[in-house]
Amino acid sequence: MTGTKSLSNTVHVVGAGLAGSEAAWQLAEAGIDVVLHEMRPDRMTEAHRTATPAELVCSNSFRSDDAANNAVGLLHAEMRRLGSLIMRAADANQVPAGGALAVDRDGFSAAVASALEAHPRITLSRGEVTGLPPDEWTNVIIATGPLTSQPLAEAIRGLTDESALAFFDAIAPIVHKDTIDMSKAWFQSRYDKVGPGGTGADYVNCPMTREQYDVFVAALLAGEKTDFKEWETNTPYFDGCLPIEVMAERGHETLRHGPMKPVGLTNPHNPTVKPYAIVQLRQDNKLGTLYNMVGFQTKLKYGPQQQIFRTIPGLENAEFARLGGLHRNTFLNSPKLLDQQLRLRAQPRLRFAGQMTGCEGYVESASIGLIAGLYAAAESRGASLAAPPPTTALGALLGHITGGHIETIDGATRSFQPMNINFGLFPPLAVAPTRKSDGTRLKGNEKTVAKKQAMSARALADLDRWIAEHLRVAAAA
Ligand SMILES: Cc1cc2nc3c(=O)[nH]c(=O)nc-3n(C[C@H](O)[C@H](O)[C@H](O)COP(=O)(O)OP(=O)(O)OC[C@H]3O[C@@H](n4cnc5c(N)ncnc54)[C@H](O)[C@@H]3O)c2cc1C
């Protein structure tokens, strides 16, 4: 740690979590002076226990480290190529965890802390930022995370509008479209209604018989749920996003009169038999590769969710891009509020990073800190940096935050919800692989594996090109 720098191009980073620590590191390594503000230990969050930067508040896992077959493993690989401090500290503090990258949490945070403290361009300043940063901070990154302190959250809300800053995420499960069995499901909008931007056939519909519905409701009621943490119970969330199991508890038929209403839809596979209930899925990203289960936010544990939702006709082999959940989480309606460089449109000196922007997870938060740091460094030098290609994991995640969300489909408004990195956020391959290297045809699951591997190889090649053609040029400006 050094004395506070007062150069006019100093960048202020608020929050020394996963994203803020990475952003500060990238700036300092790019030759920019940084003041990194952290409120702990003066003021703690409900989940943090220490004063150390980059504390892992729950699990000690960075999930799969398989860059060839898994999207988060690919994001690890990309971050390593970009000199990530978070990945360096994780690699140096690994504990055995099969194919996952798990870390000794204290060793990991201590490694991040000592690297930040030893860097001559970084000043760590302890204390809560209790309102909008002062005007003289002209280049700011706000990375205060899902548990941003209340005074700062209120000040940000004042710059946006009531609905643009959420305090709960209510996530319905999201399914990879190509894993839905369309010999049982079909495309149709209720009453074939053509809403704004719709075609009249915008939803995937999965029909249920009475027997299937009865078994499904019983499974929802019996399925194991996660509890609200004590500090979450007082945060209101009941605005139109009741968990499905809570709806099911209100009465056996409640879901049939709510999200599983069977009206205005005809099953073309069996037109004479009226389904007793229907589960609808709606397009979730502009690419059309992901579909969310409409109205299916839930607090069921992940295992029971997969088991129960795969009993729905058409979803027997569904692969989930993410499962449902309901958590306390402060995040922005980023596609509306932020520009492509993660700056607040209403006040571009404020750039956001980490989970506040609508990504989810340690690795994703750190990666958005990384790119925010690179953007801020370029701006500080009077240069600008092009976004990483959408074919990379980093570019795909940024695309979700700054533009991949569709606000209305068929007249229905959809709220922006946080997301982990997954292959559904990547543009499809120009040509999907059909054969193995020995010329024989790929079968069944081999096709999915080959597709992921081709997407990963494309991502790493495109990232290397971006580093050479854009990042190095911006750094030399
Ligand atoms: C309870 C909980 C459990 C989670 N479990 C997991 C998990 O197991 N695995 C996973 O991948 N993800 C998990 N997440 C999601 C998320 O990825 C992590 O919270 C991650 O740490 C987010 O990174 P971040 O940098 O955006 O925020 P954080 O790591 O939370 O960092 C934000 C920092 O800002 C500081 N701060 C807040 N307000 C102010 C202020 N006004 N002034 C100065 N400093 C401030 C905080 O003290 C904190 O150090 C969990 C989230 C929560 C809330």
Side-chain angles (χ1 to χ4, degrees), residues 367-398:
S367 75
I368 297 300
L370 189 157
I371 190 69
L374 294 177
Y375 282 155
E379 188 172 311
S380 181
R381 259 192 242 102
S384 82
L385 176 64
T391 47
T392 63
L394 189 52
L397 190 60
L398 262 179

Side-chain angles (χ1 to χ4, degrees), residues 93-104:
N93 288 281
Q94 273 195 55
V95 294
L101 172 58
V103 302
D104 172 309

Side-chain angles (χ1 to χ4, degrees), residues 41 76 233 292 307:
H76 292 170
T233 48
N292 69 70
Q307 216 179 342

Side-chain angles (χ1 to χ4, degrees), residues 15 17-19 38-40 48 58-59 129 144-146 149 355 361-362 365:
L18 276 300
E38 172 53 54
M39 69 177 184
R40 291 177 289 124
H48 290 83
C58 189
S59 146
V129 173
T144 44
S149 75
Q355 187 140 336
Y362 300 147
S365 298

